[in-house]
């Protein structure tokens, strides 16, 4: 599978989760999912390596979240993201900051 094929597969799988309601700690398409659950669900469906996390607070500790993301993801500037890139948005004061 080429990189572009994989990216298309990631996007297609993620789109299959559209309409799934938010549920903190959720991992079930159609029933409830959060941002980590979506990334894990897509990775599992495509047989990609992944590391699950459980028991995390609804408002993450910024330092702990950053350290965890650093272990699992490669930093990428928003303008360099391509379809299928997993983008992490930093939390400030316990509130997520979304890219514009």
């Amino acid at each position: 599978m080429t990189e572009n094929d994989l990216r298309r597969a990631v996007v297609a799988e993620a789109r299959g989760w559209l309409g799934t309601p938010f549920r903190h700690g959720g991992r079930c398409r159609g029933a409830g999912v959060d941002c980590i659950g979506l990334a894990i669900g897509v990775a599992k469906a495509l047989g990609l390596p992944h590391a699950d996390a459980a028991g995390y607070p609804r408002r993450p500790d910024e330092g702990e979240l950053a350290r965890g993301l650093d272990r699992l993801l490669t930093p990428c500037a928003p303008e360099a993201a391509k379809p299928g890139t997993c983008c992490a948005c930093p939390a400030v004061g316990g509130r997520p900051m979304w890219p514009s």
Side-chain angles (χ1 to χ4, degrees):
M1 180 180 292
T2 68
E3 179 183 338
N4 285 334
D5 291 340
L6 177 57
R7 290 184 176 283
R8 282 191 286 275
V10 166
V11 170
E13 178 61 28
R15 285 184 175 155
W17 289 70
L18 287 173
T20 299
F22 175 83
R23 192 183 101 220
H24 176 72
R27 301 286 186 274
C28 186
R29 182 192 327 223
V33 70
D34 62 11
C35 56
I36 296 171
L38 174 62
I40 291 167
V42 169
K44 279 184 176 180
L46 297 176
L48 300 173
H50 61 280
D52 203 340
Y56 47 88
R58 190 172 181 106
R59 291 186 176 230
D61 172 270
E62 295 167 37
E64 182 180 341
L65 178 61
R67 287 186 297 277
L69 293 173
D70 284 344
R71 285 191 304 272
L72 299 172
L73 301 175
T74 302
C76 174
E79 61 273 7
K82 298 177 183 176
T85 298
C86 182
C87 294
C89 304
V92 176
R95 299 179 61 200
M97 301 298 293
W98 308 111
S100 52

